[in-house]
Amino acid sequence: MASSVNERELVLECLLMITRDGEYSHIVLKNVLDRYQYLDKKERAFITRVVNGTLERMIEIDAIINQFSKVKVNKMKPVIRTILRSSVYQMKYMDSVPDSAVCNEAVKLAKKKGFVNLTGFVNGVLRNIGRNLDLVTYPDKTNVLNWLSIRYSLPEWILKNWLAVYDCGTVEQMAKAFLVEKPLTVRYSADKISREDLLYLLKEEGVKAEEVPGVPCALYLSAYDHLASLPSFQKGFYQVQDLSSMQVALWAEPKKGDSVIDVCAAPGGKAIHMAELLRGTGYVEARDLTEYKVNLIRENIMRSGLLNIEAKCQDATVFDSESVNKADIVIADLPCSGLGVLGKKPDLKYKMTESMQKELEQLQRKILSVVQAYVKPGGRLLYSTCTINRGENEENARWFVNQYPEYQMVKDRQMLPGIDAGDGFYIAMFQRRNHE
């Protein structure tokens, strides 16, 4: 079917929904690509790359535009600002697209969106940038905060918090890692399919699959178009899950017959991993707040074919008397600021604030206070987040053991992007003491 929509127009639509309307990038992209499934692989890849790339590099892009435009970015109309941003991304980071084509398409798009009187402005700014990209200036490295912020497009408040904990070299490694395109990580169950058979099947589907050193249940996937359309995915041979996230179930080491409650489980990766490790025994209850999230878990459970796991709609902040002392293992992968997954969700760095982080720290404590009662004496509670923030991580873990002396911390770990494999992620494992 011939394409009836301009791919740059879809890029503009996506970016406006994310930056102007506050929607989440991964949801916007999924919905748009699902709606236009007739687009070919190249067009889908272009839309994904330009949307994510523009978001990843937005602070740097704005600094470049401001060097060549009399009207500063924050004073521009949202449509014009967004057209310029995505165009500058293409000019600086996509060699396959000629600058003249980028400029012409931007002018056409501005005109199509009703900004005929601003087409000259768009044309002038982009041609000026195109001629002078090699002359763009960056802050001096002696101003570490400002230099890191513009070079790696990270808000200064985030960098300031990280630099208070980690040295500049470590923070730069993390910042670099967020900008590197990575393959998709999946976890497969050897009980369902051997690695050799899965690798063969993926090759037949045209997917590039690589083994992950030191993690026998994981694979890196790339060169696929639409994951949900792959028969190997539909048959539940693997689940999408990051390497760091896999550590939760591996740390928990569930024993045959264990009862597990995952209190914030969507989309279900950790809960399904636990159910697999139970080898058809025990019971996993995967809970989340809304029917939408619970349906995501149910879809993944159905694909997995597992019978020892069930999804349930339940608010983790509300005490459930029927769950008291019920679980051998409770997983509490709680709502967090998400600063460990900026490589996958680049818009989070612009949405999150320090005050929102503080609110999340309190929400996490509230949930921990509720769900700690669900663990049997001698059982384990695993607390995890996908962020890099001591308030949400180490400080909350310390608060928990001080507040609940019947628990002792077995171990904890902060994983850092670019230094450890996988996303930025924190896990703390607590054991509830047996009654004396």
Side-chain angles (χ1 to χ4, degrees), residues 136-243:
V136 169
T137 59
Y138 289 86
D140 193 273
K141 281 190 178 184
T142 53
N143 186 344
V144 174
L145 204 57
N146 194 223
W147 177 76
L148 283 172
S149 177
I150 290 177
R151 179 58 77 180
Y152 297 106
S153 286
L154 282 166
E156 287 193 6
W157 74 266
I158 295 175
L159 290 164
K160 188 177 179 182
N161 287 347
W162 289 349
L163 288 166
V165 178
Y166 307 105
D167 62 69
C168 184
T170 300
V171 172
E172 188 178 0
Q173 271 185 277
M174 288 158 50
K176 275 182 181 176
F178 291 134
L179 299 176
V180 175
E181 189 175 353
K182 300 178 186 71
L184 181 76
T185 312
V186 299
R187 177 186 47 75
Y188 70 94
S189 172
D191 289 346
K192 271 193 164 183
I193 189 169
S194 69
R195 182 190 307 149
E196 292 72 23
D197 287 347
L198 180 54
L199 288 170
Y200 176 80
L201 180 57
L202 288 164
K203 187 177 180 182
E204 289 290 296
E205 293 173 345
V207 180
K208 183 181 177 184
E210 298 174 78
E211 297 180 46
V212 180
V215 189
C217 62
L219 292 173
Y220 290 131
L221 304 188
S222 56
Y224 60 89
D225 179 18
H226 196 50
L227 187 74
S229 67
L230 297 175
S232 58
F233 179 80
Q234 293 168 355
K235 290 174 182 175
F237 289 140
Y238 49 85
Q239 303 283 337
V240 176
Q241 191 175 13
D242 190 74
L243 293 176

Side-chain angles (χ1 to χ4, degrees), residues 346-362:
D347 52 317
L348 289 183
K349 59 188 171 185
Y350 311 116
K351 290 181 167 69
M352 188 51 54
T353 65
E354 286 184 276
S355 62
M356 288 166 68
Q357 267 191 339
K358 293 293 180 189
E359 290 171 12
L360 284 162
E361 289 168 21
Q362 294 307 310

Side-chain angles (χ1 to χ4, degrees), residues 182-376:
K182 300 178 186 71
L184 181 76
T185 312
V186 299
R187 177 186 47 75
Y188 70 94
S189 172
D191 289 346
K192 271 193 164 183
I193 189 169
S194 69
R195 182 190 307 149
E196 292 72 23
D197 287 347
L198 180 54
L199 288 170
Y200 176 80
L201 180 57
L202 288 164
K203 187 177 180 182
E204 289 290 296
E205 293 173 345
V207 180
K208 183 181 177 184
E210 298 174 78
E211 297 180 46
V212 180
V215 189
C217 62
L219 292 173
Y220 290 131
L221 304 188
S222 56
Y224 60 89
D225 179 18
H226 196 50
L227 187 74
S229 67
L230 297 175
S232 58
F233 179 80
Q234 293 168 355
K235 290 174 182 175
F237 289 140
Y238 49 85
Q239 303 283 337
V240 176
Q241 191 175 13
D242 190 74
L243 293 176
S244 51
S245 174
M246 293 178 200
Q247 297 303 312
V248 173
L250 297 175
W251 277 30
E253 296 181 322
K255 304 183 301 296
K256 283 189 175 181
D258 272 356
S259 172
V260 179
I261 297 175
D262 187 341
V263 297
C264 296
K270 299 174 195 67
I272 289 170
H273 194 185
M274 294 288 280
E276 288 174 352
L277 293 175
L278 286 168
R279 302 287 187 266
T281 72
Y283 174 71
V284 178
E285 192 172 283
R287 303 175 176 178
D288 221 305
L289 180 61
T290 65
E291 281 295 340
Y292 170 76
K293 288 188 172 184
V294 171
N295 284 333
L296 291 178
I297 303 169
R298 287 185 180 127
E299 285 173 16
N300 284 321
I301 291 172
M302 283 182 66
R303 277 194 315 102
S304 75
L306 294 165
L307 301 176
N308 60 340
I309 178 171
E310 184 181 0
K312 182 179 178 182
C313 192
Q314 189 155 330
D315 185 343
T317 64
V318 177
F319 183 72
D320 175 29
S321 58
E322 292 183 9
S323 297
V324 174
N325 295 341
K326 179 181 176 181
D328 297 284
I329 298 167
V330 166
I331 300 173
D333 183 63
L334 301 187
C336 71
S337 55
L339 301 185
V341 293
L342 298 181
K344 293 172 181 169
K345 300 176 181 179
D347 52 317
L348 289 183
K349 59 188 171 185
Y350 311 116
K351 290 181 167 69
M352 188 51 54
T353 65
E354 286 184 276
S355 62
M356 288 166 68
Q357 267 191 339
K358 293 293 180 189
E359 290 171 12
L360 284 162
E361 289 168 21
Q362 294 307 310
L363 174 62
Q364 291 153 359
R365 292 185 180 192
K366 182 177 182 180
I367 294 173
L368 287 171
S369 299
V370 170
V371 305
Q372 58 80 29
Y374 305 161
V375 182
K376 293 177 183 176

Side-chain angles (χ1 to χ4, degrees), residues 350-415:
Y350 311 116
K351 290 181 167 69
M352 188 51 54
T353 65
E354 286 184 276
S355 62
M356 288 166 68
Q357 267 191 339
K358 293 293 180 189
E359 290 171 12
L360 284 162
E361 289 168 21
Q362 294 307 310
L363 174 62
Q364 291 153 359
R365 292 185 180 192
K366 182 177 182 180
I367 294 173
L368 287 171
S369 299
V370 170
V371 305
Q372 58 80 29
Y374 305 161
V375 182
K376 293 177 183 176
R380 289 175 167 179
L381 169 64
L382 286 104
Y383 170 56
S384 61
T385 74
C386 58
T387 198
I388 307 160
N389 170 30
R390 292 219 159 166
E392 295 174 83
N393 297 343
E394 293 92 337
E395 289 174 21
N396 265 357
R398 189 163 54 244
W399 168 86
F400 182 74
V401 291
N402 288 335
Q403 195 77 10
Y404 299 95
E406 64 268 36
Y407 280 91
Q408 60 179 343
M409 186 190 287
V410 179
K411 57 179 175 177
D412 76 326
R413 184 182 172 197
Q414 173 71 67
M415 288 164 265

